Amino acid sequence: MSSTSTPAPPKKQRYDNEVECELAKRGCWLVKVPRYLSELWEANEGAVVGKLHIGPEIEFQTSQGLRQPPPKDEGEGTSSTTTNTAVTSSKVSEIPTQYTFILHDVKGSTMSVLSEDKQALGAEATVKTGKLAVEGRIMKRAECRPPATSKYMKMKLAHIVKNTQPKKTVKMIDKAAVKFKPVAVHAEDMIKNKQKKDGAKTYRADRDVLRGALFKAFEKHSYYRLQDLQNILQQPVSYVKEVLQEIAVYNTAPPHKSLWCLKPEYCNYKLNAQSEQMVKFSIEKKTILGRLGKIDSWGPVDVSHATPSCMTYLRAGHIPHLTWDVAENQLKLSQTPIYQMTLPSLISNAKTIEKFGKGVAKFVGMGALVSPAIHLSPFDPLGKLPNGYNDSKSIAIWTANGKVSLDVKTYRNTVNSFGCGSFETLVDYDLPRDAGHKKLLKAVDRTTTFNEQIFKQDEKIAGERIVALGGGFSKYHRRKCAVDIGLAENTAAYTVEFHEFVEGMETDEKEMKELLEETFSPLPPTKLRCISGPFNPKTVLFLVQQGIDLFDSSFAIKLAEEGHAFCLADDYPTSSKYEVVDFKDQEKFADDFTPVFDGCGCYTCTKYTKGYLQHLLNTKELLASILLVIHNMSEYDRMFKLIRKSLENSEGL
């Protein structure tokens, strides 16, 4: 009989995911505690954090001497002393020590506590799973409530305030933070190396040729840096400096410190050459009522024109409603006129005038006049200037056919082809009363840019420059515009952009006075001051008192085109009163056969009656506008004659 052996019992297989359940029946409490208390316990792991007293009421008391949790890292741009919790925003000693436990029964749910032991895994704790065990079953749910004391409320308030503060804040710094980044070669070194390289290879020009090039450069600007001259002439720096020392001097004191200028003996030729082309203006007398002056020349034309006075307003190259024959024979002005040529009425013919090649005076038929003095204005004083159409490269002018955008290049070509004795520079006029600081600053910057572009060194422009000064209703920006562009060299005169203050608009004399004072205070007081617009006799008298020398006659044309005529009071300019008569009133003048205005010696008042003038207007005869223009122009001219006489009889300052 064979023997049989009993097989050994199979070994118990072990699984990595086994869970120890020895303590599964042990009861546990699930306690909800404040976050700051939880972080305090984590910071003091392994130590006694408090004692639990179980009685009629369950209370918890924290231990003394607990370690404060380290501050959290809130990321870049957040201060290391700022955290998101109340613990880190206050000391441990400020945390409440007494807490009350509120118990709740667990009904209808089974929850257990599962733990994982990773201590034996070491560095592999993030890869492998540690030992799992059930620590017990949830028997009670508790809520740890802090006491409602003033100390806790202050800590909680600090916690809420801290959380409402932005993590990143703007701080004012005293100086700019300069962060230097390493570069292989600095830009300055590259420029110097290039200059040395170019200078070594540049062929030295003849000394006389270089001297002539220097004279030509100084005709455009009076002051240069040595480096700028070297860039213009493309000659070695040492050679330019050697020739420069013969004809120029180096300034070592303000306001032209570190700049070169021609010696006085070499400046005479330049002054003599310009003396025939400049607008010659001199102030003969200053009074509290204004200043009395005289214009001896306007560009290349010799005139003898006393100021205060006005330029003769032209539209399409003519005095509106008058032919040149009528103007010469019937319009008797007291002195040689200076004509204001307005561009909007001629811009559509600019290309034709350029091809014509003889200037705008001959093109419009002014050839019969002997060398007229003409000023070119880019705006029509009687035209509209709506807001919102200017941009960074051009300004909007309005013609009978609509808007035309006028940029610097087009305006320069127009000025050169028109051949006027003077021209007005471009100005950004789009500044209503409610314009903000940003819009005002942009407008002044655009005006400055227009002036810099129109007078480029490599571009020529004919005529004397009358600089237009803007700035809207802001005294600060008016002054800034005057400083930025009004102090430029070769400025013949100044004109103030005041289209918001003309007849028909709301005018405030106090505001006008303050704006004019801020505009002219930084500028030379001996320069001619102009203003354009239909200003009535009262406003003209006020502007003369503020130092304005030259106006235009657009007010007389405006009244005539409305069917009105005006007449000054007998005591003008002692009083600023004047009378405006509407000849469209059929009932008032139908049977009136008296002269238009008694005592007026103009062609209209000596030849025609009020009734006949009213009849011409009602029948829309062209003669009506002609007669009204002749009278209004004559009366406007007489107004300035009376103002000048009053200034002559006033005491000087």
Side-chain angles (χ1 to χ4, degrees), residues 154-165:
K154 289 181 180 179
M155 186 197 72
K156 195 64 179 177
L157 178 61
H159 170 74
I160 296 173
V161 171
K162 201 69 178 180
N163 285 343
T164 57
Q165 293 178 353

Side-chain angles (χ1 to χ4, degrees), residues 251-355:
N251 293 278
T252 58
H256 304 294
K257 187 177 181 180
S258 304
L259 299 178
W260 291 83
C261 66
L262 287 177
K263 293 180 179 179
E265 55 267 29
Y266 293 104
C267 292
N268 292 334
Y269 81 95
K270 179 180 177 181
L271 295 175
N272 293 335
Q274 287 187 345
S275 62
E276 298 180 359
Q277 299 296 325
M278 291 295 291
V279 173
K280 287 186 178 181
F281 171 74
S282 59
I283 300 175
E284 297 181 345
K285 186 179 182 180
K286 288 185 178 180
T287 71
I288 59 173
L289 301 178
R291 57 187 201 173
L292 197 65
K294 186 178 182 181
I295 302 173
D296 293 319
S297 66
W298 193 271
V301 181
D302 292 332
V303 295
S304 180
H305 197 98
T307 61
S309 182
C310 68
M311 293 184 284
T312 302
Y313 166 76
L314 303 182
R315 184 190 300 153
H318 292 265
I319 301 174
H321 309 287
L322 303 185
T323 64
W324 284 116
D325 290 337
V326 172
E328 187 176 2
N329 296 325
Q330 308 301 338
L331 186 60
K332 306 297 183 181
L333 301 178
S334 60
Q335 53 186 350
T336 305
I338 298 173
Y339 296 100
Q340 180 192 35
M341 191 77 67
T342 53
L343 184 58
S345 58
L346 293 168
I347 188 66
S348 59
N349 298 316
K351 293 294 184 182
T352 306
I353 295 173
E354 185 177 1
K355 292 181 180 179

Side-chain angles (χ1 to χ4, degrees), residues 239-254:
Y239 184 41
V240 174
K241 186 175 181 180
E242 180 184 345
V243 179
L244 197 61
Q245 289 175 341
E246 299 176 1
I247 63 173
V249 292
Y250 183 75
N251 293 278
T252 58

Side-chain angles (χ1 to χ4, degrees), residues 36-50 62-71 87-88 90-93 95:
Y36 67 85
L37 197 59
S38 173
E39 293 177 355
L40 184 63
W41 291 357
E42 291 179 1
N44 294 271
E45 185 179 0
V48 178
V49 296
T62 58
S63 300
Q64 300 293 330
L66 296 180
R67 183 167 55 88
Q68 184 173 345
V87 172
T88 55
S90 60
K91 298 180 180 179
V92 176
S93 60
I95 298 174

Side-chain angles (χ1 to χ4, degrees), residues 389-639:
Y389 294 93
N390 296 347
D391 54 45
S392 59
K393 296 182 179 179
S394 63
I395 61 171
I397 61 175
W398 298 84
T399 68
N401 298 323
K403 180 178 75 73
V404 175
S405 295
L406 184 65
D407 57 21
V408 172
K409 183 178 179 181
T410 303
Y411 187 54
R412 185 191 298 112
N413 295 337
T414 302
V415 171
N416 290 333
S417 62
F418 277 32
C420 299
S422 66
F423 65 93
E424 184 178 322
T425 59
L426 300 180
V427 61
D428 189 346
Y429 59 84
D430 187 7
L431 293 174
R433 185 175 290 276
D434 58 349
H437 173 76
K438 185 176 180 181
K439 184 176 181 64
L440 288 163
L441 193 60
K442 284 187 176 182
V444 174
D445 290 341
R446 288 194 192 105
T447 302
T448 304
T449 302
F450 292 152
N451 278 265
E452 292 175 351
Q453 292 177 351
I454 202 169
F455 300 117
K456 285 184 177 180
Q457 293 185 13
D458 55 345
E459 299 288 349
K460 293 183 179 180
I461 188 164
E464 299 303 327
R465 68 183 73 173
I466 295 183
V467 175
L469 305 173
F473 294 87
S474 170
K475 293 186 290 184
Y476 168 77
H477 293 90
R478 286 277 180 179
R479 188 181 186 93
K480 177 176 172 55
C481 184
V483 172
D484 289 349
I485 66 175
L487 299 176
E489 298 177 8
N490 301 329
T491 299
Y494 303 109
T495 181
V496 186
E497 196 285 306
F498 248 38
H499 78 278
E500 294 282 358
F501 295 92
V502 297
E503 175 74 10
M505 309 288 283
E506 293 184 4
T507 60
D508 184 349
E509 291 187 352
K510 180 180 178 181
E511 184 179 34
M512 294 170 66
K513 181 179 180 180
E514 292 176 351
L515 293 177
L516 290 173
E517 287 177 351
E518 289 297 321
T519 299
F520 291 121
S521 58
L523 301 177
T526 57
K527 297 284 186 179
L528 180 69
R529 299 174 181 178
C530 311
I531 198 166
S532 182
F535 296 103
N536 60 47
K538 180 180 178 181
T539 307
V540 167
L541 198 60
F542 170 76
L543 292 174
V544 168
Q545 294 175 359
Q546 309 312 313
I548 301 299
D549 304 302
L550 199 60
F551 299 78
D552 62 47
S553 61
S554 56
F555 175 77
I557 306 300
K558 178 177 181 293
L559 288 185
E561 292 179 339
E562 293 173 351
H564 299 162
F566 84 103
C567 181
L568 300 171
D570 294 337
D571 57 348
Y572 190 90
T574 303
S575 71
S576 57
K577 296 179 181 179
Y578 65 99
E579 178 188 5
V580 177
V581 179
D582 184 3
F583 284 99
K584 291 183 179 179
D585 191 344
Q586 299 182 12
E587 298 180 359
K588 187 174 182 180
F589 301 110
D591 299 324
D592 193 338
F593 301 106
T594 60
V596 178
F597 289 104
D598 294 329
C600 179
C602 72
Y603 175 79
T604 302
C605 294
T606 55
K607 299 291 184 180
Y608 299 93
T609 64
K610 295 177 182 178
Y612 184 67
L613 196 57
Q614 181 265 336
H615 163 72
L616 294 175
L617 283 170
N618 289 333
T619 56
K620 298 181 180 180
E621 290 285 346
L622 297 179
L623 181 59
S625 298
I626 295 174
L627 297 178
L628 286 175
V629 167
I630 291 175
H631 168 75
N632 288 343
M633 287 283 294
S634 301
E635 190 70 0
Y636 210 63
D637 180 69
R638 188 175 75 91
M639 176 186 70

